[in-house]
Amino acid sequence: MSVLRLDGVSKNYGRTEALRDVSFECEEGEFFTLFGPSGAGKTTILELIAGIKDGYSGRIEIKGRGAEDLAIQDRNVSMAFEYYALYPHLSVGENIAFPLRSPRAQKLGEAEIARKVQWTADELGIGHLLDRNPVQLSGGQKQRVSLARALVRPADVYLLDEPIAHLDAKLRSIARANLKAMARNLGATILYVTHDFREALGLSDRVLVLNEGRVLQIAEPRDLYHRPATDFVGHLLGDPAMNLVDGVLVDTPDGPVFEAAGIRIALSDALIDEARARLARGAADIRLGVRPSGVAVSADAVEGATGLPVYTVEHATDHALVYFRIGEAYLGGTAPFGSPLSTGDQAWLRLKDGAGFLFDASFALSASSGMKEAAR
Amino acid sequence: MTVLSLRNVWKIYGGDVVAVRDASFQAADGEFVALLGPSGCGKSSTMRMIAGLEDISRGDILFGEEVVNQLSPKDRNVALAFESYALYSPMTVRENLEFPLRSRGLATDVITAKVAEIARTFQIDDLLDRRPSKLSGGQAQRVSLARALIRDPNVMLLDEPLSHLDYRLRTELRVRIRRIHDELNATTIYVTHDQEEAVALSDRIIVMNHAEIQQFGEIETLWKRPVNRFVAGFLGDPAMNFVDVRLTDGRAVAAAGDISYDAGIGNGQAVLGFRPEEVDIVAAAEVDGGLKGEILVNEFHGERCVLTVDSGSGQLKAVDRGDSPWRAGDTVALVLRPEAVHLFDSDTGLAVRHGTEAQT
C-alpha cells in the first residue's frame, strides 16, 4: 500500500492556479522527489500534505486515510523547512529533542532522547554543536538542525523542503550523501523538494518533475536523464545544460538531417527513424536537444561532420567545452582536455552515436530572461 | 593592450588587519586570470586595489610600465562589474547602458546598436525600459555586467559578476563573458569563490587563502601539482580525499593498513591525497588487501556517479561513469593510481610529493 497518494489535486490562490491535477503515490521507504524551478508549486504540495494550507480539490491520502478526515496533529508527518524556524531560546540539542518531548510523542526516557538526538545530529555532521545557541550558527548549520529536528522522530512521511540548499557546495556534497544513507538506515518514506538536479538525480528513487503546477514526468533518475519526456525536462537536468536548437527536419538523398539557420547537422542513428516518421506526417518543425557530452568536436574535418567557427571555449579538468552559434542558439560540444581550439577557429562537430532527442518545442528559447530564470 | 602587474602589494586595514599580504603576479596582455578563494581570503581587496577603489598600503600596481597607484578609477580605463551593482536609479536600464557610450561621444545609431547587442547577449532585452528598482537581484547584476562590458575596455575587472544568478543562467552567461573577452582581447581579472567557474573561464588561476596567494598557474598545474593541501582541496568537486599516513622507510601507510604507497621519502607523519576522479573502482574480491569498503551511497548525476565509500581509512569519495554498476551495500576496492597520489606535510600542509615525483 502506498504511504502517500495524491489524486487529481488542484489548488488556486485567488485566480492564480498553483497546482493543476497533480497525481502521484509514494511507496513505503521510498525517497520521492518533487523537482522543478521556483514557483512550480513544489512547496505547496508539501504544505497541503502537512495541513499548513488547505482549500484544494482532488484527494490526498496518508496511509490510506483521506487528509480531510485527519486533523493536522493526527497526520503523522514531519516537516523540515527551508528557512529553519528554530526556537532561539533553546540550545541546538533541545531544538532537535523538541518533537520527542511533545505530549503526543511516545514517552521516552532522557537517556533515550539524548541518544536519538546525538545519533541524528552525528549523521548530519552537527553532533559537536548540540550545546550551542541557534544564533551562533551559520545558515548551513541551522538548516541541518532543522533537518535533524524533522528526522529525529518516527513519522509516516518526512516532508523535506530544500533542506540542504543553504550549504556551500562542498558541504552540500557531503550532506547529500549523509542524508541518503540516513534515509535508508531509517527506512523512512521521504517526500523531498529541490530545484537542484544533482539532489534530484543523486538522492531519489523516483523524481516528479513539476512546472507551473503541472506534472511533466515521473520517473527513476536514470530514465529521467536518458529519456526526458519534454525539452523542458531535458533542459533542467545535467551540467553543462542540454543544448536546445530550433530548426527543421530536411529530407535528403542520404536520409533526414537537421537544419537551423542554414546550417545542417547529421542526425545520430538513434534519431533517424523518428525523424522519418515525423517527416512522413509532415511535422518538420523540430527542437533538437543534445547534451554537450553527445556532441564530438574536432579540429579536423571528419566525414559527416558540420564545420563551423568556434564561438568560444570553456575548460574543465578532464575535457574542453567548445561552443558554436547556430542562428540565435548556442550549441556546445566536447573536445579532449588541452584542445588547442579557440574563439574564431574552424572546428567540426557531429552527434555521437545514440545521442540527441527530437522534441516538440514547449517553451520559448530566445531572449526570454523571465523564462530562463523560472527554469532554475 | 595591457600587462597587469602587482609587485609586493599589501592591504592593511586599521594598522594591523592584513587583508592582502605581499601579493605579486603578472597577467599577460589579453590574458583571462581568475582570482579564486573562499570568502575573506583577500581576493576582493586585491581586485579593489587594481580598480583604484581602495588605497594600496604597500607595493605597486602597474598597467604596462606605468605605476597606477595614484590614478583614480576612471583614469585607469578599466571596466568594473561588481557584485553590488550600483546602477543609476533614476535612469532606465537602457539609459544605464547608454551612459558610458554617451560620455565617449558616440553617434546615436552606434549606441543603439551596441545596446541592443549587449542586451541580447545578457538576456536583458525585455528589461530595457525598466528602472533598476523594478529588477530582481539577478537582473540588476546582468545589467551591471552589460554596462561594464559595453565600452570596449582595455582591462576588465569582474568581481563575482554572476553570483546572484541561478545555476543555469550562470553557466550560460559565463560562456558569453569569455566570448566578449576573446573579442576585445582585454586583460581580465575575474574574482570568484566558485572553482568550477574559475576553471571554465580562465587561462590561469590565482588561488588565494588567508590574505596570501597560494598558487598561480594553469589549470593542469593546479590540478596535478597543487603546492599545498589547501589548493589541492579547493579545486575539484567532490574534493580530494585526504588520509593520514605514517612514513616508514619510504612507504606511506595508513593507520588502518589499507593504504600502502611507495613514497620513496622520509619518515614521520604525512597526509596522503587522491582525487575521487583518479581512482579505479573494482569488485573487492578482485583485489588482495588494499583500500576497501562498503558503498554507502551511489549518487547518479547524469554524466557521472559519485560513490561514498565507508573504508577503514574513513569515508572516501570516488567518481564513476554515468552507467556505474555499483549499488549501495556493495563492497568495492579503490585502487589508487601511483601517478595520481599526493603527499602533504602534516604540519605545514605543503606538498612533498606528486605521483612519482618528489617536490623540492
Side-chain angles (χ1 to χ4, degrees), chain B residues 323-334:
Chain B
D323 56 359
S324 171
W326 307 108
R327 302 178 65 94
D330 289 350
T331 302
V332 292
L334 301 179

Side-chain angles (χ1 to χ4, degrees), chain A residues 169-170 173-174 176-178 180-181 184 197-203 221-223 225-226 234-242 291 293 310-318 321 323 325 328 330 337 342-344 367-370 372-376, chain B residues 120-121 123-127 136 138-139 142 165-169 171-172 174-176 178-179 182 195-196 199-202 219-220 223 233-239 277 295-303 305-306 308 315 317 322-324 326 328:
Chain A
K170 295 251 142 100
S173 148
I174 295 166
R176 221 169 36 218
N178 289 348
K180 176 71 179 170
R184 200 177 38 242
F197 81 87
R198 286 190 179 85
E199 291 174 23
L201 293 179
L203 292 171
R222 286 170 200 243
D223 280 342
Y225 189 76
H226 294 298
H235 179 72
L236 284 182
L237 296 166
D239 168 41
M242 179 184 281
R291 295 202 167 83
S293 58
V310 171
Y311 175 75
T312 194
V313 181
E314 274 196 352
H315 298 280
T317 51
D318 58 354
L321 278 168
Y323 288 89
R325 289 296 308 255
E328 286 292 301
Y330 298 82
F337 181 83
S342 67
T343 299
S368 170
S369 51
K372 287 289 172 59
E373 228 144 72
R376 68 177 219 159
Chain B
R120 208 164 51 238
T121 299
Q123 297 178 19
I124 50 175
D125 34 0
D126 49 349
L127 306 174
S136 73
Q139 290 168 336
R142 277 178 283 152
L165 307 184
D166 71 66
Y167 183 76
R168 267 282 169 271
L169 199 54
T171 52
E172 279 180 29
R174 75 184 188 208
V175 175
R176 301 182 198 175
R178 177 69 207 203
R179 166 71 182 202
D182 292 350
Q195 55 95 23
E196 184 195 316
V199 169
L201 281 169
S202 319
I219 293 146
E220 191 169 10
W223 187 255
F234 201 75
L235 255 83
D237 179 26
E277 297 87 346
I295 296 175
L296 290 179
V297 181
N298 185 357
E299 294 174 64
F300 172 71
H301 289 171
E303 299 305 318
C305 289
V306 178
T308 304
Q315 278 192 18
K317 300 278 186 187
D323 56 359
S324 171
W326 307 108

Side-chain angles (χ1 to χ4, degrees), chain A residues 265-302:
Chain A
I265 298 174
L267 294 172
S268 66
D269 48 356
L271 301 179
I272 293 288
D273 286 348
E274 188 184 343
R276 284 213 173 91
R278 281 177 176 267
L279 280 170
R281 63 172 195 266
D285 286 349
I286 201 74
R287 175 167 289 176
L288 175 68
V290 61
R291 295 202 167 83
S293 58
V295 180
V297 177
S298 77
D300 305 313
V302 180

